Amino acid sequence: MDVLLPGNAMLRSSRYDVNDRMRYSYVEPDGETYDISDIVEEELRENSFATNRSDLLESVLGRKDLVGEKLNRVLSKIK
């Protein structure tokens, strides 16, 4: 799942077949990519209804009451 952010940066989630684990990346507009999996899991897992195999970004985006606050917390730790 890709989440387009202001300024054309993106948060990206992808599943790796090797261990069936979700990985999360921050992609800058120029394409430079940073692994932010630890940050996303720390900030989004606590209030998520997601299972270990679920996409935390997708589960939070489905919760209108949490989406702004949680994404802002993730973004503040990236920058």
Side-chain angles (χ1 to χ4, degrees):
M1 165 180 267
D2 289 346
V3 178
L4 186 61
L5 302 171
N8 292 327
M10 276 193 300
L11 294 179
R12 173 171 287 155
S13 62
S14 53
R15 183 176 310 281
Y16 284 84
D17 290 332
V18 175
N19 58 8
D20 206 30
R21 183 173 179 212
M22 295 302 299
R23 302 301 298 169
Y24 302 94
S25 304
Y26 177 78
V27 183
E28 292 187 340
D30 66 3
E32 191 164 352
T33 303
Y34 302 93
D35 183 345
I36 59 166
S37 298
D38 292 338
I39 295 169
V40 170
E41 289 178 10
E42 175 185 328
E43 291 299 327
L44 302 185
R45 181 148 325 267
E46 66 186 38
N47 290 324
S48 171
F49 295 106
T51 64
N52 284 343
R53 293 191 64 231
S54 296
D55 184 339
L56 294 172
L57 281 180
E58 185 176 356
S59 68
V60 168
L61 289 174
R63 302 264 328 263
K64 301 257 188 257
D65 58 325
L66 293 177
V67 69
E69 172 193 346
K70 292 295 185 177
L71 287 181
N72 283 337
R73 286 174 56 178
V74 168
L75 293 173
S76 72
K77 289 190 172 188
I78 295 169
K79 298 178 179 187

